[in-house]
Amino acid sequence: MNALAIESPLVVASNRGPVSFYPEADGQLRSERGSGGLVTALAGVLFEADATWIAAAMTVGDREVAASNRTVEVDPVGHMGFLEIPSDRYEGYYNGIANHILWFLHHHLWEVATDPVFDEGTQRAWEDYREVNRLFAHALDAEQGRNPVYLIQDYHLSLVPGFLRELQPRARIAHFSHTPFVGPTFIRLLPDEMRESLLRGMLGADVLGFQSEQWAENFLLCVRDLPGARVDLRRRRVSVDGRTVLVRSYPIALDPGPLRRTAASAEVKQLRKELEAWKGDAKLLLRVDRMELSKNVPRGFMAYERFLLDHPNWYGRVKFLALLPPSRTEIAEYAEYADRSFEEAERVNAKYGTDDWQPVEIRAKEDYVGAVAAYGLYDALLVNPVFDGMNLVAMEGPLVNKRNGVLVLSRNAGAFARLGRHAVPINPFDLNETADAIRFALEMPNDQRMRRARGLARAVLAHSPARWLTTQLRDVDAAQGLGSESAQQLEESGGAFHHDVGGFAQDRGGLVTEHGDLPHEH
Amino acid sequence: MNALAIESPLVVASNRGPVSFYPEADGQLRSERGSGGLVTALAGVLFEADATWIAAAMTVGDREVAASNRTVEVDPVGHMGFLEIPSDRYEGYYNGIANHILWFLHHHLWEVATDPVFDEGTQRAWEDYREVNRLFAHALDAEQGRNPVYLIQDYHLSLVPGFLRELQPRARIAHFSHTPFVGPTFIRLLPDEMRESLLRGMLGADVLGFQSEQWAENFLLCVRDLPGARVDLRRRRVSVDGRTVLVRSYPIALDPGPLRRTAASAEVKQLRKELEAWKGDAKLLLRVDRMELSKNVPRGFMAYERFLLDHPNWYGRVKFLALLPPSRTEIAEYAEYADRSFEEAERVNAKYGTDDWQPVEIRAKEDYVGAVAAYGLYDALLVNPVFDGMNLVAMEGPLVNKRNGVLVLSRNAGAFARLGRHAVPINPFDLNETADAIRFALEMPNDQRMRRARGLARAVLAHSPARWLTTQLRDVDAAQGLGSESAQQLEESGGAFHHDVGGFAQDRGGLVTEHGDLPHEH
């Protein structure tokens, strides 16, 4: 029984679950929703569809649930189950591979001349990653009695589709990447075995979902070098192991209800009042980002400095509020990046600040309601990631903002495909363009601001989480239908299948062979 | 009159010419061949084909030639002309854009979280780059009386084809990239105007040549986002402005004659003797590279350290000779990189060295004959660039080596397409794989060494500089033929042309439009 009228039971897997459990004094388990984040956003629609959700156990209560080998019911009609990750595996899996290699890879964050260096440590961490992914696959396989559709989330679990496919050849599997996906040249930084395993692992799914077309296409381009896989770039399909994998974009959607309820809460109203007092008559330029290497914090301050340098008429008339909750502070690069960001802001304040005016204010703590309060007030919202799978801030801000605030948006955010035409577009590496965009946003005439703000809100609301889910489910069935169809065609017509999957694959000649990495010469 | 029986006169353009001039005491100009480098390698075949070569004036003598507005005859039948670059333009053009932006871009050398930052300095340098490219185009246009084929070399002159096309709509133009070419995601680091100008500038040519299929394909993938251009990935063509541009790989070839003559010279024989004495009974692991960020020097030493750590039986029995002439020492990143490289080598020597054995020796000076002498003697040659357009060392070594030396070769070098199946392949970021490859190369049985060495030499010799040239010339004519044909088809059939250029372009829908950077959603 589920509210979305979805025919199949759903089993979701992600590293971090939307709910954690804590033991009470009486021995009962109390559940608590996680704060913020994509997974929480998905929890609404997925639990509404009566999903069973499997995540890594993070708390004592989670471990109790994991040990009991059962799932626990949570609102509205979902179930949470937990997987106990062996403690000696978690570090290698989570920090070693997922966050320190795959995250850096997909966001192009390495300084290639000297970084990355892959060594035994990488090898061991990769074994941990494989093992944790294998454990997830077994936990999912245990749910097979109900013949569910499996929905596997993100780069932590790239190998799960492949392992699960081995256990259940006919399983219905979708994998969704919340990050960008790296291009075909840059992915060759990975050790070859890791690159191949990663791509093959993901190809265990029937459907591979991405936040935007460009990430889906990058995946397809990467797979073209994979022996035995045939890519149809035009139809966004891969043919592998006699199956068809659909590679598509399903941009995530926001459920506006909870966000608007938060925005209307007394707490947010109070915070908004305080912010208004702090802001005074100045215009508010806002950014809301985790202190994350991909978020492009230092260049944001540098561009603001450039804007001030060129437009002294704005001195004292604008404040840049940067809400930057900390992130992965245990990784050296992140700590350095935070220092660097603070230094840039201090430099701007030292250069332009007066007794009456502090050009930049950073608030570096976890404060979701504070962010929602600030959403209401901005005149311009700066979202300038170097690369970003989607970017939720770019969607949340326009839903809550009350001042026809203008969105300055990086072309390299997945959200750009949806919101770009109503935003002021920037190349995030280009200080001049970013500085000009800030001025343009702050000085935009009211009618244009209103038109764009409406366009943004409309674009965000045009997509529903339910549709994000149902299109993936529809495509899982479509892929399974195609799989047998294609295999049959292949059998009937000899080479015809090869031809049928599009002109693209056949042209690669020597590339789609055993020597997949030896392009033939002219 | 030319020895290659090429019908059209050739006009070549490159930043640095193969010959420079120096005034003698009597006022006459003495010419001198440059040392090493790709351009010198091309000079043989191009001058043999009676080319006129235009380069930036570098010496007092070059400037005299430039001022005289004439070309000077050089051996065997070619002519050199020079372009005087305004002194206030050269720095921005050469260091600002070509070496500090385009080189870094095509080799993926940026630390994306904080580098690059594009600002006014970039903007000014870009104006310099445009202006120097424009000047080159005008210098080339002055040669139009003979109806030549223009052969424009490398990333310094990316905009020349476009400028020249404006001046001479029917000019026959080929552009060749000696570097890698960046992929479609990473190229979006460039400011948008720069990215578009660069791609459009190159598309002014009839033929765009690259060192390997993967770089040609990256170019095609980058162009897919360019408004008004239609890409046929399958046939390696772009349709733009009613013309057809062929995008192909023409891997550069070595003329073995001069190299073998150098190898047989008395000087090299003497140097080889000295090296043999230095080497003693040890096996020789060799690398020969400019001290260049793309060459992966530090990871080479780290992998060697890893090899020694795992194989104490090799202590005292191997010497790693690294010939590393300095490069671009005026750029801060290069100086730091050199320091870092020396430190790694010293660390290995401190860790494993004894009174009788120094595991690594670096020779950091310009010494071509010394390199040729070392080529003769290596047991294993390490060529591990992070990315490399082609890599000449990987081709030169096997032609001169006398010990059935084994080539350890990065999969990310353009040369891998040609030589990979006879080499020991490595991922240049993977220390374990590189360390294993070093051991595998040093311990390879003789029959296998011999077979591979023969294969390498055969693969190098299978391609001639003449063919490199004639295939490009043939394709220039082919492209011009297609251009009018396609235009006619388009006129006759309305939409048929669009269809004809392959399924790829039509599928991009919203991408090949005015809003080229707004992928449509699912």
Side-chain angles (χ1 to χ4, degrees):
Chain A
M1 179 183 72
N2 60 60
L4 274 176
I6 286 164
E7 285 162 26
S8 303
L10 305 179
V11 174
V12 185
S14 65
N15 174 64
R16 185 179 294 271
V19 174
S20 269
F21 289 88
Y22 300 85
E24 301 275 74
D26 62 359
Q28 295 292 304
L29 288 173
R30 177 177 51 84
S31 73
E32 202 171 277
R33 287 274 176 140
S35 66
L38 226 37
V39 165
T40 307
L42 297 184
V45 63
L46 289 169
F47 281 148
E48 196 180 341
D50 194 7
T52 298
W53 195 309
I54 314 276
M58 305 274 176
T59 65
V60 176
D62 295 351
R63 292 206 171 83
E64 243 179 69
V65 177
S68 75
N69 234 343
R70 62 191 170 93
T71 60
V72 175
E73 208 175 311
V74 290
D75 287 342
V77 287
H79 289 76
M80 273 307 306
F82 291 97
L83 177 65
E84 173 85 60
I85 311 282
S87 59
D88 58 338
R89 295 289 191 181
Y90 194 78
E91 170 65 22
Y93 148 74
Y94 183 70
N95 284 320
I97 300 297
N99 285 349
H100 212 190
I101 293 186
L102 298 182
W103 181 270
F104 277 62
L105 175 76
H106 291 310
H107 292 84
H108 295 84
L109 291 175
W110 282 310
E111 184 182 8
V112 170
T114 54
D115 191 38
V117 172
F118 299 118
D119 57 13
E120 284 75 35
T122 318
Q123 206 65 47
R124 281 193 301 270
W126 180 242
E127 286 309 315
D128 296 336
Y129 182 86
R130 287 181 63 88
E131 176 60 13
V132 172
N133 273 252
R134 206 185 57 75
L135 291 173
F136 259 101
H138 278 272
L140 296 179
D141 186 45
E143 304 289 327
Q144 74 168 285
R146 298 185 291 142
N147 188 26
V149 178
Y150 293 103
L151 299 166
I152 298 161
Q153 305 302 306
D154 230 0
Y155 62 101
H156 309 88
L157 305 183
S158 307
L159 306 183
V160 172
F163 286 128
L164 185 54
R165 178 70 58 200
E166 280 173 23
L167 296 168
Q168 268 186 68
R170 305 183 66 86
R172 293 179 292 171
I173 309 173
H175 180 280
F176 188 81
S177 293
H178 296 268
T179 60
F181 200 88
V182 66
T185 303
F186 209 81
I187 200 177
R188 301 194 75 88
L189 269 67
L190 284 188
D192 283 35
E193 194 270 321
M194 200 184 293
R195 172 173 58 86
E196 285 207 17
S197 298
L198 203 70
L199 297 172
R200 282 190 202 288
M202 290 176 72
L203 287 170
D206 299 296
V207 167
L208 291 171
F210 295 88
Q211 294 279 26
S212 85
E213 287 291 332
Q214 60 183 318
W215 314 137
E217 184 165 295
N218 274 354
F219 178 85
L220 287 164
L221 293 172
C222 289
V223 169
R224 289 167 72 214
D225 285 346
L226 197 66
R230 299 200 176 272
V231 173
D232 182 346
L233 206 45
R234 185 150 57 97
R235 289 194 253 173
R236 301 276 193 266
R237 294 180 189 173
V238 178
S239 160
V240 64
D241 300 338
R243 296 180 300 109
T244 299
V245 183
L246 300 182
V247 180
R248 304 280 164 86
S249 83
Y250 309 89
I252 203 99
L254 263 192
D255 178 2
L259 176 61
R260 285 180 168 161
R261 279 194 292 280
T262 304
S265 69
E267 187 184 4
V268 164
K269 279 183 181 157
Q270 176 57 32
L271 287 169
R272 206 155 53 216
K273 239 181 238 167
E274 289 168 25
L275 266 179
E276 246 169 323
W278 168 81
K279 180 174 84 73
D281 291 334
K283 296 276 185 185
L284 180 63
L285 173 65
L286 176 70
R287 76 173 301 148
V288 179
D289 285 298
R290 285 186 300 122
M291 187 62 93
E292 208 323 297
L293 271 63
S294 65
K295 297 299 186 184
N296 207 16
V297 178
R299 289 191 193 87
F301 294 135
M302 291 160 85
Y304 180 63
E305 176 186 22
R306 158 66 34 196
F307 156 74
L308 290 176
L309 180 69
D310 289 345
H311 303 283
N313 58 315
W314 275 99
Y315 292 0
R317 294 176 47 224
V318 58
K319 289 186 176 181
F320 187 172
L321 177 63
L323 305 183
L324 300 167
S327 177
R328 301 182 190 170
T329 45
E330 70 283 6
I331 301 184
E333 285 95 330
Y334 282 69
E336 283 163 28
Y337 187 77
D339 289 349
R340 170 84 192 272
S341 301
F342 293 134
E343 280 164 23
E344 287 295 336
E346 279 159 23
R347 212 172 38 72
V348 177
N349 282 337
K351 189 166 168 189
Y352 293 104
T354 63
D355 288 349
D356 304 324
W357 178 51
Q358 179 182 319
V360 183
E361 172 147 329
I362 293 183
R363 300 186 183 173
K365 56 169 194 201
E366 201 67 62
D367 181 13
Y368 181 65
V369 288
V372 175
Y375 284 157
L377 291 179
Y378 68 78
D379 299 284
L381 178 64
L382 178 63
V383 179
N384 67 329
V386 296
F387 292 104
D388 208 334
M390 169 54 81
N391 195 290
L392 277 189
V393 170
M395 299 204 288
E396 288 176 345
L399 277 191
V400 174
N401 185 262
K402 296 167 180 295
R403 303 173 60 88
N404 293 324
V406 179
L407 175 63
V408 176
L409 183 58
S410 165
R411 292 189 187 88
N412 297 344
F416 192 80
R418 175 177 288 168
L419 304 177
R421 61 190 69 214
H422 310 293
V424 183
I426 54 167
N427 172 315
F429 306 97
D430 188 335
L431 294 195
N432 291 347
E433 194 178 36
T434 307
D436 287 350
I438 290 171
R439 186 197 54 78
F440 187 65
L442 290 174
E443 297 182 357
M444 190 180 285
N446 254 328
D447 56 335
Q448 217 189 112
R449 300 174 73 82
M450 195 180 302
R451 204 166 54 241
R452 286 182 186 242
R454 281 188 190 147
L456 287 169
R458 223 173 22 240
V460 173
L461 294 173
H463 303 264
S464 71
R467 186 166 165 237
W468 175 83
L469 175 61
T470 53
T471 48
Q472 285 180 77
L473 296 176
R474 180 199 66 199
D475 286 352
V476 166
D477 286 339
Q480 292 225 336
L482 283 169
S484 54
E485 187 186 296
S486 309
Q488 198 181 336
Q489 271 185 10
L490 183 65
E491 212 169 318
E492 280 173 6
S493 59
F497 172 61
H498 184 174
H499 188 78
D500 179 64
V501 295
F504 209 76
Q506 43 179 324
D507 181 52
R508 297 290 295 177
L511 278 184
V512 189
T513 67
E514 205 184 340
H515 302 287
D517 47 6
L518 291 173
H520 57 269
E521 294 196 3
H522 178 79
Chain B
M1 180 183 70
N2 63 58
L4 273 176
I6 285 164
E7 284 162 27
S8 302
L10 304 179
V11 174
V12 184
S14 66
N15 174 63
R16 185 179 293 271
V19 174
S20 269
F21 288 88
Y22 300 87
E24 301 275 72
D26 62 0
Q28 295 291 303
L29 288 174
R30 177 177 52 84
S31 73
E32 202 171 276
R33 286 273 176 140
S35 67
L38 227 37
V39 166
T40 307
L42 297 184
V45 62
L46 288 169
F47 281 150
E48 196 182 340
D50 193 7
T52 298
W53 195 309
I54 314 276
M58 303 276 176
T59 67
V60 175
D62 295 351
R63 292 207 171 81
E64 243 179 68
V65 177
S68 76
N69 234 343
R70 64 192 168 91
T71 61
V72 175
E73 209 174 310
V74 289
D75 287 341
V77 288
H79 290 75
M80 273 306 306
F82 290 99
L83 178 65
E84 173 85 59
I85 311 281
S87 58
D88 58 336
R89 296 288 193 181
Y90 195 78
E91 170 65 21
Y93 148 73
Y94 183 71
N95 285 321
I97 300 297
N99 285 349
H100 212 186
I101 293 185
L102 299 182
W103 181 271
F104 277 62
L105 175 76
H106 291 312
H107 292 84
H108 295 84
L109 292 174
W110 281 310
E111 184 181 7
V112 170
T114 55
D115 191 38
V117 172
F118 300 119
D119 57 12
E120 284 75 37
T122 318
Q123 206 65 45
R124 281 191 303 269
W126 179 242
E127 286 308 315
D128 296 336
Y129 182 86
R130 288 180 64 89
E131 176 61 12
V132 172
N133 273 252
R134 207 184 57 75
L135 291 174
F136 259 100
H138 278 272
L140 296 179
D141 185 46
E143 304 288 327
Q144 74 168 284
R146 298 185 292 143
N147 189 26
V149 178
Y150 293 103
L151 298 166
I152 298 160
Q153 304 302 306
D154 229 0
Y155 63 101
H156 309 88
L157 305 183
S158 308
L159 306 183
V160 173
F163 285 129
L164 185 53
R165 178 70 58 201
E166 280 174 23
L167 296 168
Q168 269 186 66
R170 304 183 67 86
R172 293 179 293 169
I173 308 174
H175 180 281
F176 189 81
S177 293
H178 297 268
T179 59
F181 200 89
V182 66
T185 304
F186 209 81
I187 199 176
R188 300 195 77 88
L189 269 68
L190 284 188
D192 284 36
E193 195 270 322
M194 200 185 291
R195 172 173 58 86
E196 285 208 18
S197 298
L198 203 71
L199 297 172
R200 281 189 202 289
M202 290 177 72
L203 287 170
D206 299 297
V207 167
L208 291 170
F210 294 89
Q211 294 279 27
S212 85
E213 288 292 333
Q214 61 182 318
W215 313 138
E217 184 165 295
N218 275 354
F219 178 85
L220 288 164
L221 293 172
C222 289
V223 169
R224 288 166 72 215
D225 285 343
L226 197 66
R230 297 200 177 273
V231 173
D232 182 346
L233 206 46
R234 184 151 57 98
R235 290 194 250 174
R236 301 276 192 265
R237 294 180 189 171
V238 179
S239 160
V240 62
D241 300 337
R243 296 181 300 108
T244 299
V245 183
L246 300 182
V247 180
R248 303 281 164 84
S249 81
Y250 310 89
I252 203 100
L254 263 192
D255 178 2
L259 176 61
R260 284 178 168 163
R261 279 193 292 279
T262 304
S265 68
E267 187 184 5
V268 164
K269 278 183 183 159
Q270 176 57 32
L271 287 169
R272 207 156 51 216
K273 239 181 238 165
E274 289 168 24
L275 266 180
E276 244 168 322
W278 168 81
K279 180 174 84 74
D281 291 333
K283 297 275 187 186
L284 180 62
L285 173 65
L286 177 70
R287 76 173 302 148
V288 179
D289 284 298
R290 286 186 299 121
M291 187 63 92
E292 205 330 292
L293 270 62
S294 64
K295 297 299 186 184
N296 208 15
V297 177
R299 288 192 194 88
F301 294 134
M302 292 160 85
Y304 180 63
E305 176 186 22
R306 159 65 34 195
F307 155 73
L308 291 176
L309 180 70
D310 289 344
H311 304 284
N313 57 316
W314 275 99
Y315 292 0
R317 294 176 49 224
V318 58
K319 289 186 176 182
F320 187 172
L321 177 63
L323 304 183
L324 299 168
S327 177
R328 301 180 189 169
T329 45
E330 70 283 5
I331 300 183
E333 285 96 330
Y334 281 68
E336 284 164 27
Y337 188 76
D339 289 348
R340 171 83 192 272
S341 301
F342 293 134
E343 280 164 24
E344 288 295 334
E346 278 159 24
R347 212 172 38 74
V348 176
N349 282 336
K351 189 166 168 189
Y352 293 104
T354 63
D355 287 349
D356 304 324
W357 177 51
Q358 179 182 319
V360 183
E361 172 148 328
I362 293 183
R363 300 186 183 174
K365 57 170 192 197
E366 201 67 62
D367 180 13
Y368 180 66
V369 289
V372 175
Y375 283 157
L377 292 178
Y378 69 77
D379 298 284
L381 178 64
L382 177 64
V383 179
N384 68 329
V386 295
F387 292 104
D388 208 335
M390 170 54 82
N391 195 289
L392 277 189
V393 171
M395 299 207 287
E396 288 177 344
L399 277 192
V400 173
N401 184 261
K402 295 167 181 296
R403 303 172 61 88
N404 293 322
V406 179
L407 176 64
V408 176
L409 183 58
S410 164
R411 292 190 188 87
N412 296 345
F416 192 81
R418 175 178 287 168
L419 304 176
R421 60 189 71 214
H422 311 292
V424 183
I426 54 167
N427 172 314
F429 306 96
D430 188 336
L431 294 195
N432 291 348
E433 194 179 34
T434 307
D436 287 350
I438 290 171
R439 187 196 55 75
F440 187 66
L442 291 174
E443 298 182 357
M444 190 180 286
N446 255 328
D447 57 333
Q448 216 189 115
R449 301 173 72 82
M450 196 179 303
R451 203 166 56 241
R452 285 182 187 243
R454 281 187 189 148
L456 287 169
R458 223 173 23 240
V460 173
L461 294 173
H463 302 264
S464 71
R467 185 166 165 239
W468 176 82
L469 175 59
T470 53
T471 47
Q472 284 180 77
L473 296 176
R474 181 199 65 198
D475 286 351
V476 167
D477 285 340
Q480 293 226 334
L482 283 168
S484 54
E485 187 187 298
S486 306
Q488 199 182 335
Q489 271 187 9
L490 183 64
E491 214 169 316
E492 280 173 7
S493 60
F497 173 62
H498 185 172
H499 189 76
D500 179 64
V501 295
F504 209 74
Q506 43 177 327
D507 182 51
R508 297 290 294 177
L511 277 184
V512 189
T513 65
E514 205 185 340
H515 301 288
D517 47 5
L518 292 173
H520 58 268
E521 294 197 4
H522 178 81

